[in-house]
Amino acid sequence: MRQFGIFGGTFDPVHWGHLLVAETALRQVPLEQIIWVPSYNPPHKQAALFEHRIEMVQQAIAGNSEFVVSLIERNRSGTSYAINTLLDLSAFSPNIHWYWIVGLDTFKTLPYWYRRHELAQMCDWLIAPRLPSGENIAESELVCQKVEQKLKLESICIHWYLLHIPLVGVSSSLIRHLSGEGKSIRYLVPESVRNYIATHNLYN
Ligand code: ATP
């Protein structure tokens, strides 16, 4: 069966941490393709315009045919939820084994996700360790086991795998913060993204 990854996020902006996570997932499973899904109205977040975030992801993944960006969330009214994304993508591409790619911080919130029962039956989880909880593999595994146990209390069974990846402390909020202070974001994002941010005066 074909194996695809979904990488959902706000990508405000996309950075090298995201790219490393996606590339690692692609090689370690291995996956045939990774679909990047920028959320339109991310829950609990205010973000730059969807068009800006899409454009930055497109520029960041340019030249990599195993990465594609989906505009699926653009037409969604209301909040973006993972279950809706997955239902739409699987209707479009049936007979796929889906993997949802997340950082450890996001995975910790899975026990509170909307319609998690259905979601858990439709995909497996690829988790990228991330600071502060993911200081080493053993600690990351413990965090994931706790999430698994919490879901079990609701009779939700999940399959998860930890990605083996160097910890990268970069985050979109760090980039927004540095940009806001007029500091350099060189080597934290691809050059195309850095130029896009400067040209459109984002995050000032
Ligand atoms: P913010 O700082 O605004 O919260 P972010 O850097 O976490 O943003 P998102 O677009 O919200 O970026 O993240 C998309 C997904 O990528 C999430 O699952 C997040 O955990 C994961 N992720 C982002 N940066 C990293 C990183 N450096 N290492 C591992 N996972 C990451």
Side-chain angles (χ1 to χ4, degrees):
M1 195 182 244
R2 302 173 76 190
Q3 309 202 100
F4 281 15
I6 301 175
F7 195 20
T10 313
F11 306 118
D12 187 27
V14 61
H15 53 70
W16 284 122
H18 294 129
L19 288 153
L20 183 62
V21 168
E23 178 65 15
T24 305
L26 192 74
R27 304 290 157 214
Q28 280 181 14
V29 176
L31 303 170
E32 187 178 323
Q33 192 167 72
I34 290 186
I35 305 174
W36 293 63
V37 186
S39 48
Y40 189 68
N41 273 323
H44 324 300
K45 276 190 180 180
Q46 280 256 316
L49 279 181
F50 183 70
E51 283 65 27
H52 284 314
R53 292 183 285 118
I54 284 280
E55 186 56 37
M56 289 189 281
V57 172
Q58 257 157 359
Q59 295 200 9
I61 68 174
N64 186 339
S65 57
E66 289 152 315
F67 288 171
V68 294
V69 58
S70 166
L71 305 186
I72 202 164
E73 295 297 297
R74 181 160 56 194
N75 303 324
R76 201 175 302 292
S77 57
T79 311
S80 301
Y81 288 112
I83 181 67
N84 297 327
T85 309
L86 189 47
L87 285 169
D88 288 355
L89 287 176
S90 48
F92 206 63
S93 314
N95 302 320
I96 303 281
H97 186 140
W98 294 101
Y99 290 84
W100 198 284
I101 302 164
V102 282
L104 188 60
D105 58 315
T106 306
F107 185 65
K108 278 201 281 192
T109 67
L110 184 59
Y112 311 102
W113 285 23
Y114 178 59
R115 289 168 67 183
R116 51 198 171 273
H117 205 289
E118 291 158 80
L119 188 62
Q121 289 168 6
M122 294 180 69
C123 64
D124 290 346
W125 301 90
L126 298 176
I127 303 141
R130 193 178 188 188
L131 295 169
S133 347
E135 252 155 48
N136 56 53
I137 283 285
E139 201 169 326
S140 299
E141 262 172 11
L142 207 63
V143 173
C144 293
Q145 281 161 7
K146 278 191 187 150
V147 171
E148 183 180 6
Q149 281 158 12
K150 203 163 194 173
L151 287 165
K152 244 187 205 145
L153 295 176
E154 292 186 76
S155 306
I156 299 174
C157 179
I158 56 167
H159 300 114
W160 55 269
Y161 310 90
L162 265 185
L163 296 171
H164 294 267
I165 188 169
L167 286 178
V168 178
V170 59
S171 65
S172 299
S173 38
L174 173 69
I175 289 152
R176 294 195 302 273
H177 178 77
L178 292 172
S179 298
E181 297 207 322
K183 293 186 176 152
S184 170
I185 56 166
R186 179 175 269 164
Y187 307 129
L188 294 174
V189 296
E191 275 302 274
S192 53
V193 173
R194 189 169 75 95
N195 290 333
Y196 189 93
I197 291 171
T199 306
H200 294 85
N201 228 357
L202 302 181
Y203 315 125
N204 279 344

